[in-house]
Amino acid sequence: MMRALFIAISAAVLVPVGVYCQAGSLDSDFDADGTVTTVFVNSTSSNAAAIAVQADGKIVVAGAANFGGTEKNNFVITRYNIDGTLDNTFSSDGKVSIDFGGQDYLTDIAIQTDGKIVLVGSTSGTDESFAIARLKANGTMDNSFNGNGKLIFDFSGNLSADLISAVAIQSDGKIVVAGTANSAFAVARFTTSGVVDSSFGNNGKATAGFGVGTTSSSSAIALQADGKIVVGGACYGTNIDFALCRYTVNGSLDNTFSLDGKTTTDVSGIPETIRAVAIQPDGKIVACGTSNGADLALARYQPDGFLDLSFSGDGKLLTDFNGNSETGECMVLQPDGKILVGGVQNGGAALVRYNTDGSLDNTFDGDGLTTTSLINKAADLALQADGRIVVAGFSGAPQVFAAARFLSGLSLGLTDFVDNQVKLVVYPNPVADNAVAEYELNSEERITISLLDINGRVVQTIVEHEFQRRGKHQIVLPMAPLMAGTYLLSISNGSGAVSTRFVK
């Protein structure tokens, strides 16, 4: 029997939340077939590298396009409505191009709580340098950022390649970027106005190497709830291994992490590199990447930087689907703790979902893996507020921007909660240091309550797999450590979830 579920946005309003579809299937509500492609006028090719979901549900996709001639590669950005159509309120046609004057390659984006969009990558002319831009929410350049909305930063101060791979926004609004300079991890922090933050590291810069005779490159960043900065990538020595380091909020290496702030992991005995990192609510760190370009590689670490042996028996795992070639490019943690990895299998976009212990989640398209040939790569992914999965990449030859949306099975569709209503309300709204959540269960349930950011990433787990009786319940949400912004409170019983949105 189909079970109804409602969310109480206020005491007087109940909103129905749809029906269930197979987890891992393409979402036909997104541009009819679950995928959309976009061509930039006068470009010869384009490739989406990053995706984020705004507080209003609109989807921002960013990457680079080649325009030939004198412009060559530029940053390019699109914004889509929830149904996959281009948003014409964004730069009049849903598309923006940003030229730094050289060969420009975008690698990551982040959306601020005020709706402004931060874009990072690299630009090369006589030198290859960090490139950062910020747009207003309407798609125009934000001139309050470095005077014209753009910043070129020579991290190394020489002719070596300085490449940004990832960006994160701190709770105070400062912008932290991670990349590579002088063949080592390179992290820099900037104020909200685009000025190098001299209070961080050495005049705004921090580096990390992994020993004599090695080089390293970073490709991922994640911020812990306490403000510490986790950066992941690869260490190149006698082998190529996962490499992680953690910085304190002032940019020094954190000696409480693996004794010296750095750790490397040989996952398989063959070359592997981290492509994404994420922080669990319990402080454990999940890293995903690729082993020798053929298998998915994952590892999970305790908050102290040592491998978590409860994950796959030894803290690390490889996944090979029937001898096919898979890569891991991106990752998000779902509100129920499951790990979702995106990448490529045999030339098509692939999504793989794992349970919290590292086993494959067979509720996801039957075997934990879903693929589509309609998009060639899952370069980045994000969760919508309703749990649906959005993916960015490219399609065709020559390549064009592509995005896809999949159903997760934990969206605000069917849940196995109860036959009647599950009521959820957060007050006051907006909240200050603390909020109160009230909810009512009409039957006994084992539930998890999670606080999520607007992109669906878990910020904190309030209740984890706790048995609760039928009736009214009330909990306090500690909001003081969190930055201003829009949040979601999610209640899940493992089969589905309900959530409500509120603002700090």
Side-chain angles (χ1 to χ4, degrees):
M1 178 176 62
M2 186 67 71
R3 295 178 175 180
L5 177 64
F6 295 80
I7 300 174
I9 302 301
S10 68
V13 181
L14 295 177
V15 183
V17 289
V19 296
Y20 172 80
C21 291
Q22 173 66 41
S25 58
L26 282 165
D27 179 11
S28 60
D29 289 338
F30 188 73
D31 202 48
D33 65 352
T35 64
V36 63
T37 57
T38 300
V39 176
F40 294 87
V41 176
N42 297 324
S43 70
T44 57
S45 65
S46 59
N47 189 347
I51 192 166
V53 180
Q54 295 186 167
D56 60 3
K58 292 181 179 180
I59 302 161
V60 181
V61 180
N66 188 295
F67 292 92
T70 57
E71 287 191 279
K72 300 182 180 178
N73 277 4
N74 289 352
F75 284 15
V76 286
I77 309 94
T78 58
R79 190 165 74 192
Y80 301 95
N81 296 307
I82 295 174
D83 63 1
T85 57
L86 281 168
D87 174 19
N88 291 332
T89 69
F90 186 73
S91 189
S92 77
D93 63 354
K95 298 180 282 188
V96 173
S97 175
I98 302 173
D99 183 7
F100 285 88
Q103 289 279 32
D104 310 328
Y105 295 93
L106 183 144
T107 52
D108 201 11
I109 57 174
I111 299 176
Q112 297 183 172
T113 55
D114 60 3
K116 292 180 178 180
I117 302 166
V118 178
L119 309 113
V120 302
S122 62
T123 182
S124 60
T126 57
D127 191 8
E128 192 156 19
S129 301
F130 287 4
I132 305 173
R134 191 166 72 194
L135 298 176
K136 295 179 181 178
N138 64 5
T140 60
M141 298 301 300
D142 176 19
N143 293 335
S144 70
F145 184 79
N146 199 41
N148 63 356
K150 298 186 289 185
L151 171 67
I152 297 175
F153 182 68
D154 187 355
F155 187 101
S156 61
N158 55 42
L159 294 180
S160 72
D162 299 343
L163 309 172
I164 294 180
S165 56
V167 62
I169 309 296
Q170 291 187 170
S171 60
D172 59 3
K174 291 181 179 180
I175 300 165
V176 186
V177 298
T180 305
N182 287 328
S183 300
F185 279 22
V187 180
R189 190 166 73 190
F190 302 87
T191 68
T192 57
S193 61
V195 176
V196 177
D197 179 12
S198 60
S199 70
F200 181 80
N202 181 12
N203 292 321
K205 301 183 289 185
T207 59
F210 291 84
V212 176
T214 68
T215 60
S216 55
S217 63
S218 73
S219 54
I221 190 172
L223 299 182
Q224 296 186 171
D226 60 4
K228 291 181 178 180
I229 303 162
V230 178
V231 178
C235 173
Y236 305 87
T238 55
N239 193 23
I240 303 174
D241 296 327
F242 274 18
L244 276 178
C245 69
R246 189 167 72 194
Y247 299 90
T248 65
V249 292
N250 64 13
S252 60
L253 283 170
D254 177 16
N255 292 333
T256 68
F257 182 80
S258 191
L259 303 181
D260 63 355
K262 302 176 288 185
T263 189
T264 61
T265 302
D266 185 357
V267 178
S268 61
I270 55 179
E272 57 256 337
T273 182
I274 291 174
R275 297 292 299 161
V277 293
I279 313 297
Q280 293 187 172
D282 59 5
K284 292 180 179 179
I285 301 164
V286 184
C288 87
T290 304
S291 176
N292 207 32
D295 298 320
L296 292 182
L298 279 86
R300 190 166 72 194
Y301 302 83
Q302 299 280 3
D304 61 7
F306 293 95
L307 285 168
D308 173 20
L309 302 185
S310 69
F311 184 75
S312 190
D314 61 358
K316 51 189 179 179
L317 67 87
L318 289 179
T319 303
D320 179 15
F321 287 95
N322 300 319
N324 291 311
S325 175
E326 296 93 15
T327 68
E329 305 291 335
C330 48
M331 174 178 58
V332 294
L333 302 181
Q334 294 188 168
D336 57 2
K338 292 180 179 180
I339 302 164
L340 184 66
V341 177
V344 178
Q345 186 191 68
N346 293 342
L351 296 178
V352 181
R353 195 162 74 187
Y354 299 87
N355 296 309
T356 56
D357 63 358
S359 60
L360 286 167
D361 174 18
N362 292 330
T363 69
F364 191 72
D365 208 33
D367 61 355
L369 167 72
T370 188
T371 61
T372 177
S373 60
L374 297 177
I375 178 171
N376 298 71
K377 182 179 183 179
D380 196 18
L381 59 85
L383 289 182
Q384 294 185 171
D386 62 3
R388 301 185 196 198
I389 305 160
V390 286
V391 172
F394 63 88
S395 179
Q399 298 172 358
V400 295
F401 250 45
R405 191 165 71 196
F406 297 82
L407 301 172
S408 68
L410 57 68
S411 65
L412 300 184
L414 174 72
T415 102
D416 292 328
F417 268 138
V418 290
D419 289 334
N420 299 308
Q421 299 172 1
V422 176
K423 299 177 182 178
L424 171 62
V425 63
V426 174
Y427 65 87
N429 190 5
V431 307
D433 290 346
N434 291 293
V436 175
E438 289 185 352
Y439 57 97
E440 183 175 354
L441 302 176
N442 286 343
S443 70
E444 297 175 341
E445 296 287 350
R446 188 172 295 278
I447 64 170
T448 295
I449 302 177
S450 301
L451 186 65
L452 318 177
D453 68 16
I454 196 58
N455 289 320
R457 295 184 291 259
V458 177
V459 174
Q460 183 178 1
T461 296
I462 311 298
V463 171
E464 187 169 13
H465 305 308
E466 181 179 293
F467 178 82
Q468 294 191 356
R469 296 189 180 278
R470 173 183 176 180
K472 293 182 179 179
H473 300 264
Q474 186 181 89
I475 57 172
V476 176
L477 309 177
M479 299 295 296
L482 302 179
M483 64 186 292
T486 302
Y487 293 88
L488 302 169
L489 187 71
S490 169
I491 300 180
S492 169
N493 70 344
S495 298
V498 294
S499 64
T500 189
R501 183 178 297 181
F502 63 96
V503 176
K504 179 185 177 184

